[in-house]
């Protein structure tokens, strides 16, 4: 399969029939943000609001995510790339099925290769399990493995991975918000460190 540039991948997603979710969805939700994003966020699957709008993380969980991107990372949604493991909403927001993940995963891999981010942030246990397993990073549970920076090479480039709780979890369990914020501060520190190395290199 051709890795393609981001707009080609998005075009293919918008015409996808690889699983049955395209029959029940309202809109495909391919992802959005900068093609040259340093940070890529990967959630689970579109919810009701995302399905309505065709955009990722635009509901209540999305508001929390957007606020943390701005307040802790000092970035806007346009600076990063936000997508999901699944590009179509599962009916009633049920968990993704393995067959759906397998059908959708090639798009995500191509998005990762096209964007070539420095850091991949997995939001929630489904995203963390799928991504960590693919990149052969040990994963036991989101509770045990969140907040730790991992390093792997993707096509010869050192890439960081970090998992945190899904922002939706903080909506019904408010103490989790502080933990997600702590993980975002770890994320901020690696972005700062990376950018300082680049600055030192060019100055
Ligand atoms: N939850 C997700 O995992 N992704 C979205 O886009 C919205 C909510």
């Amino acid at each position: 399969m051709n890795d393609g540039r981001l707009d080609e991948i998005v075009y293919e997603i918008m015409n996808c029939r690889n699983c049955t979710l395209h029959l029940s969805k309202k809109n495909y939700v391919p992802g959005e943000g900068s093609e040259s994003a340093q940070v890529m966020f990967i959630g689970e699957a579109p919810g009701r609001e995302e399905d309505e709008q065709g955009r990722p993380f635009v509901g209540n969980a999305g508001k929390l995510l957007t606020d943390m991107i701005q307040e802790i990372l000092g970035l806007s949604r346009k600076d990063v790339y936000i997508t999901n493991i699944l590009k179509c909403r599962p009916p009633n927001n049920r968990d993704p099925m393995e067959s759906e993940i397998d059908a959708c995963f090639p798009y995500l891999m191509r998005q990762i290769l096209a964007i070539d981010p420095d850091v991949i942030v997995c939001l929630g246990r489904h995203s963390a399990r799928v991504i960590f397993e693919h990149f052969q990073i040990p994963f036991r549970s989101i509770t045990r493995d969140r907040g730790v920076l991992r390093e792997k090479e993707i096509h010869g480039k050192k890439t960081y991975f970090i998992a945190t709780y899904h922002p939706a979890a903080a909506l019904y369990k408010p103490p989790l918000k502080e933990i997600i914020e702590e993980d975002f501060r770890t994320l901020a520190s690696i972005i700062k460190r990376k950018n300082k190395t680049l600055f030192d290199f060019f100055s």
Side-chain angles (χ1 to χ4, degrees):
M1 205 189 295
N2 169 20
D3 284 344
R5 285 180 59 80
L6 209 47
D7 46 6
E8 289 169 28
I9 303 164
V10 166
Y11 177 83
E12 286 181 44
I13 292 170
M14 301 295 267
N15 291 282
C16 180
R17 288 160 184 239
N18 288 355
C19 78
T20 53
L21 290 181
H22 77 276
L23 298 170
S24 53
K25 59 110 189 62
K26 280 195 181 153
N27 284 294
Y28 292 101
V29 183
E32 66 182 26
S34 165
E35 188 153 6
S36 54
Q38 197 181 5
V39 187
M40 183 167 179
F41 290 90
I42 304 175
E44 177 182 325
R48 181 193 297 274
E49 197 53 41
E50 291 75 21
D51 186 42
E52 289 286 341
Q53 296 191 35
R55 297 179 58 210
F57 282 98
V58 287
N60 290 335
K63 180 166 175 2
L64 196 57
L65 174 66
T66 306
D67 287 349
M68 286 192 286
I69 289 172
Q70 281 168 357
E71 284 158 26
I72 303 177
L73 306 185
L75 298 171
S76 82
R77 282 177 68 108
K78 287 201 183 86
D79 300 319
V80 301
Y81 196 83
I82 306 176
T83 190
N84 284 299
I85 298 282
L86 296 189
K87 314 305 189 200
C88 292
R89 181 190 184 204
N92 302 316
N93 298 348
R94 65 155 167 74
D95 285 350
M97 297 194 323
E98 283 309 306
S99 58
E100 294 159 354
I101 294 172
D102 291 346
C104 221
F105 196 72
Y107 295 125
L108 181 62
M109 273 312 296
R110 289 169 61 199
Q111 287 175 307
I112 292 173
L113 292 175
I115 293 162
D116 191 24
D118 291 334
V119 194
I120 292 178
V121 186
C122 300
L123 301 170
R125 66 192 166 100
H126 292 288
S127 168
R129 178 184 64 79
V130 170
I131 296 292
F132 279 33
E133 276 178 9
H134 179 83
F135 288 100
Q136 299 180 328
I137 300 167
F139 182 73
R140 297 157 300 175
S141 68
I142 190 72
T143 306
R144 290 198 208 181
D145 294 317
R146 53 140 280 276
V148 181
L149 276 171
R150 320 276 175 161
E151 239 182 85
K152 279 272 160 180
E153 284 202 355
I154 303 181
H155 286 201
K157 181 187 147 175
K158 189 160 82 175
T159 308
Y160 289 96
F161 294 79
I162 187 168
T164 190
Y165 289 115
H166 194 289
L171 297 176
Y172 52 86
K173 262 197 198 166
L176 293 186
K177 182 164 180 257
E178 269 174 43
I179 300 178
I180 302 175
E181 286 171 349
E182 183 186 320
D183 296 344
F184 266 62
R185 285 192 286 275
T186 304
L187 175 60
S189 70
I190 191 65
I191 297 170
K192 216 168 161 185
R193 202 178 335 147
K194 271 250 163 201
N195 291 344
K196 181 175 178 322
T197 311
L198 269 180
F199 179 79
D200 290 348
F201 182 79
F202 285 110
S203 56

